[in-house]
Amino acid sequence: MADEGDVLTDLNLDPAAGANGADTRPTAGFISQYIKDMSVENPNAPAVYQWNEQPAVDLQFNIGANAVNEEVSEVELKINVEAKTDSGALYLIELVYAGLVGIRNMPEDQAHMFIYAEAPRILFPFARRVIADATRDLGFQPLMLDPIDFNGLYMQRLQQKAAEEAAAQGGDAPAGDA
């Protein structure tokens, strides 16, 4: 039986992987996550605390990824929130919440899906908490963002891209004509 130190340091869990530790199993996971950039503005304080109007909240988000090396990518979840009334802006929050993702031995299409669908799904609850804390710290009710179906959005984007490519290759012929 191995002592506790051996269990924590021996990451080769598959004895069939070989004596040199070469493991060809697909692997993906987070190395780290962090706030990369954040801006919080309360441009009309203290007057804003006297307004009684219900604010309109504009939420925008985007996903970006940058390769750090062959096996590590930085995934960025960019969220912009602006709350306004007829009297003016209540607050503006711009957040870039990022994570370093390690991917090894994974087919390109699966790695792409992990980076653009699964990684944002994992990052989102943490970014949501940052937004809620920021609105609370501004003196407003915490803004609880609704969950986002990143996998559904990813699949929708793939279908849109395939349709655009098919239209570009097919010219101006209407659909259904052969």
Side-chain angles (χ1 to χ4, degrees):
M1 182 171 181
D3 67 11
E4 189 174 334
D6 291 339
V7 173
L8 294 176
T9 58
D10 182 12
L11 299 178
N12 185 10
L13 302 177
D14 183 6
N20 65 358
D23 190 355
T24 59
R25 293 179 294 181
T27 306
F30 275 85
I31 298 166
S32 181
Q33 55 182 319
Y34 46 90
I35 295 173
K36 185 170 182 176
D37 188 23
M38 185 171 180
S39 172
V40 180
E41 299 176 26
N42 191 350
N44 291 306
V48 69
Y49 300 110
Q50 303 303 312
W51 300 345
N52 293 321
E53 304 164 73
Q54 183 68 24
V57 177
D58 179 31
L59 170 66
Q60 303 288 323
F61 71 93
N62 197 357
I63 301 164
N66 302 305
V68 175
N69 62 41
E70 283 185 21
E71 294 183 339
V72 178
S73 294
E74 180 186 54
V75 177
E76 296 178 343
L77 184 56
K78 302 171 185 176
I79 302 174
N80 293 339
V81 181
E82 186 173 9
K84 292 182 181 178
T85 67
D86 290 338
S87 300
L90 274 70
Y91 57 82
L92 173 64
I93 301 170
E94 296 171 343
L95 172 66
V96 179
Y97 195 83
L100 290 178
V101 176
I103 297 177
R104 181 180 294 154
N105 302 322
M106 191 174 284
E108 182 62 33
D109 61 330
Q110 290 179 7
H112 191 269
M113 184 174 190
F114 187 86
I115 288 173
Y116 288 97
E118 188 63 16
R121 183 191 69 80
I122 294 169
L123 290 173
F124 182 74
F126 299 96
R128 179 182 186 214
R129 182 196 50 83
V130 171
I131 296 290
D133 288 350
T135 54
R136 184 201 63 224
D137 292 346
L138 286 167
F140 300 102
Q141 289 292 320
L143 178 63
M144 299 304 294
L145 301 177
D146 290 334
I148 297 171
D149 181 8
F150 289 101
N151 189 45
L153 292 173
Y154 178 79
M155 298 306 288
Q156 182 181 36
R157 179 64 184 129
L158 283 184
Q159 291 171 351
Q160 181 184 19
K161 186 176 179 182
E164 289 170 359
E165 289 173 0
Q169 291 176 354
D172 293 330
D177 290 352

